[in-house]
Amino acid sequence: MTKGQATRARLIDAAHRLAIRQGFDRTSVNDVMDAANVKKGAFYYHFPDKDSLILAVLERDSAKFLSRLEDSLKSDTPLQSLETFFARALRSHAERGFVGGCLWGNTALEMSDSHPVFAAFVAKVFAEWQHRIEAVVRAGQECGDIRRDLSSEALARAVIAAVEGGIMLSRLTKQEGPMEHCLSAMRTMLEPVS
């Protein structure tokens, strides 16, 4: 990695850390430069403005998130895939002490009404997330492990809502319990109906 690439990566990392804790709107260019230990000239060499930095954070993190998601959904059975996904999501947030929440949920809440470009980007991430979960749910329905009376689309949305809601509730309490309860309820909701 060249010095310039390292500087750009530090800026993106710093913006990500700050945005997770305080949102993009409350994070200034000066905050990012201070956190990355980068001077103004170096910042503007890599990013013409704050919006381009935000987009770089979202692009980098979407690739990472979707790769981790894909990796967690590669188990022997659809239910095992969902269980692995649930366990990894819980572990990831627990390791951070439930500080910061989810970049995608946070950004959706923060920017959906005021920043249409970023809202559209986040909407695409959620759509891809749903598409991948839906494929697993559909496979589970086909083999009889997941209920068939609700569409794979509806169940995939419910899975994402349970994860995001659980993250938010555990973030409020800084405890695993709320997220664990949301995931447990989701497991019950996926069970086949007699």
Side-chain angles (χ1 to χ4, degrees):
M1 181 181 288
T2 68
K3 182 178 178 184
Q5 290 169 326
T7 299
R8 186 176 193 281
R10 276 202 331 271
L11 287 164
I12 292 171
D13 288 342
H16 174 265
R17 284 192 311 274
L18 291 165
I20 283 288
R21 292 184 73 87
Q22 64 194 36
F24 284 113
D25 275 342
R26 291 183 48 217
T27 299
S28 70
V29 169
N30 286 336
D31 292 337
V32 174
M33 288 187 302
D34 290 346
N37 195 25
V38 170
K39 299 199 183 297
K40 188 176 272 191
F43 176 90
Y44 287 105
Y45 175 81
H46 294 286
F47 301 103
D49 53 29
K50 180 180 167 183
D51 285 357
S52 62
L53 172 62
I54 293 171
L55 189 58
V57 171
L58 295 177
E59 288 171 346
R60 184 203 63 184
D61 280 48
S62 68
K64 283 183 174 183
F65 170 73
L66 293 173
S67 175
R68 285 193 306 266
L69 175 63
E70 188 67 29
D71 183 55
S72 71
L73 295 175
K74 290 182 178 175
S75 293
D76 291 337
T77 70
L79 281 178
Q80 286 175 344
S81 293
L82 291 172
E83 190 55 47
T84 300
F85 167 63
F86 292 159
R88 286 183 181 181
L90 179 61
R91 184 175 59 245
S92 171
H93 289 277
E95 286 172 353
R96 295 194 322 248
F98 296 100
V99 172
C102 168
L103 178 68
W104 308 113
N106 294 353
T107 306
L109 291 172
E110 177 186 11
M111 301 198 153
S112 61
D113 295 330
S114 57
H115 300 285
V117 171
F118 302 132
F121 189 100
V122 173
K124 287 181 185 175
V125 173
F126 272 100
E128 183 60 28
W129 185 1
Q130 179 181 321
H131 171 74
R132 294 181 189 198
I133 296 292
E134 193 174 337
V136 173
V137 169
R138 192 177 311 110
Q141 289 173 321
E142 289 169 2
C143 72
D145 288 344
I146 294 177
R147 66 189 303 163
R148 296 178 186 176
D149 61 321
L150 296 173
S151 71
S152 58
E153 178 182 5
L155 288 171
R157 283 186 180 164
V159 165
I160 293 169
V163 170
E164 286 294 324
I167 291 168
M168 180 187 65
L169 294 170
S170 281
R171 183 177 178 190
L172 283 170
T173 63
K174 304 297 185 245
Q175 296 176 5
E176 287 186 19
M179 188 172 179
E180 286 177 335
H181 294 143
C182 288
L183 297 176
S184 179
M186 191 66 244
R187 287 181 192 100
T188 300
M189 185 177 175
L190 291 169
E191 290 176 359
V193 177
S194 313

